[in-house]
Amino acid sequence: EVQLQESGPGLVKPSQSLSLTCSVTGYSITSNYWGWIRKFPGNKMEWMGYISYSGSTSYNPSLKSRISITRDTSKNQFFLQLNSVTTEDTATYYCARRRTGSGWYFDFWGPGTMVTVSS
Amino acid sequence: DIQMTQSPASLSASLGETVSIECLASEGISNDLAWYQQKSGKSPQLLIYAASRLQDGVPSRFSGSGSGTRYSLKISGMQPEDEADYFCQQSYKYPWTFGGGTKLELK
């Protein structure tokens, strides 16, 4: 079965970079599309971006200047880097797989990792 | 960005009751809509995609309908395990956007 697991620091200082890893088992990241989604306190959710099976990326325009998604196919992992964070980036971060087929729906998600931005 | 307005924000239902949750899109989304369930402390689970298609393994008491800008998720016969947060997501226009969520509790 496909499983995703986020990992990374739970606390980041303002103005620093947030770096998270999504480790995938049961499915190769060289197939399909892989994304990052975050859920803010108060439950608002935001699509952040994705990396494709070929390594191409697409980002939410609201984050475009601060976000980077990369991957390591040898480890079947992909990564999120968000620069110049502020307290407004405090959220639970999820990685997810796009459901195979038409449409952009996400059928496997990691359990999420909470990141707090605070000095 | 397309705004997804979800209602109600919370509701409670009795065992066996039929429940309905709505999402209103700020523009037509051509049935490009998903519904997810998220239980406390767990990751979201895809229930419905393309507005009305049931994801594999999801109980048939869940159903989705709608068109244009208005979509709904129905649970036909509330069960204890249905207590969760539910949210919608449009995939019609990038960036994909989500509804604000509905907290469903068992009365």
Side-chain angles (χ1 to χ4, degrees):
Chain A
E1 167 160 314
V2 181
Q3 292 189 346
L4 295 87
Q5 178 70 55
E6 306 88 352
S7 59
L11 181 64
V12 180
K13 288 183 168 33
S15 80
Q16 294 189 342
S17 293
L18 178 164
S19 295
L20 298 177
T21 297
C22 183
S23 300
V24 180
T25 57
Y27 200 90
S28 172
I29 65 168
T30 60
S31 297
N32 215 322
Y33 294 77
W34 306 86
W36 289 97
I37 299 155
R38 61 182 178 177
K39 188 173 188 178
F40 298 101
N43 286 344
K44 179 186 172 185
M45 296 191 73
E46 180 180 57
W47 165 256
M48 300 183 74
Y50 70 74
I51 188 163
S52 76
Y53 54 90
S54 67
S56 64
T57 56
S58 182
Y59 305 130
N60 190 322
S62 69
L63 299 168
K64 198 164 187 178
S65 62
R66 298 198 291 137
I67 188 174
S68 175
I69 300 176
T70 57
R71 65 179 184 170
D72 183 337
T73 57
S74 67
K75 294 182 179 179
N76 217 38
Q77 295 175 327
F78 63 104
F79 312 102
L80 170 70
Q81 181 170 316
L82 187 65
N83 299 322
S84 305
V85 297
T86 72
T87 55
E88 295 188 352
D89 293 309
T90 293
T92 298
Y93 287 76
Y94 298 92
C95 57
R97 187 191 82 162
R98 179 196 177 194
R99 182 187 174 278
T100 303
S102 61
W104 282 84
Y105 313 112
F106 308 101
D107 58 355
F108 287 96
W109 297 59
T113 187
M114 186 177 297
V115 178
T116 300
V117 179
S118 175
S119 54
Chain B
D1 297 0
I2 294 178
Q3 305 303 313
M4 303 299 295
T5 303
Q6 189 170 338
S7 61
S10 64
L11 76 160
S12 60
S14 303
L15 197 64
E17 185 177 343
T18 292
V19 171
S20 189
I21 298 168
E22 287 202 347
C23 261
L24 179 66
S26 59
E27 61 184 86
I29 58 172
S30 194
N31 290 359
D32 288 336
L33 182 103
W35 290 97
Y36 299 88
Q37 176 194 67
Q38 186 173 24
K39 297 182 180 179
S40 182
K42 302 292 187 182
S43 56
Q45 300 294 314
L46 178 64
L47 299 175
I48 301 285
Y49 65 95
S52 61
R53 300 192 177 190
L54 199 65
Q55 174 69 355
D56 291 345
V58 174
S60 59
R61 63 179 179 275
F62 292 92
S63 63
S65 63
S67 63
T69 61
R70 195 176 295 271
Y71 298 85
S72 62
L73 171 71
K74 186 166 76 173
I75 307 173
S76 299
M78 174 76 179
Q79 299 299 307
E81 59 268 30
D82 298 337
E83 196 169 66
D85 291 334
Y86 294 82
F87 56 93
C88 61
Q89 174 238 323
Q90 66 82 19
S91 70
Y92 179 70
K93 188 179 286 186
Y94 198 76
W96 325 133
T97 49
F98 297 84
T102 295
K103 186 176 188 64
L104 174 61
E105 294 178 328
L106 184 63
K107 198 181 292 183

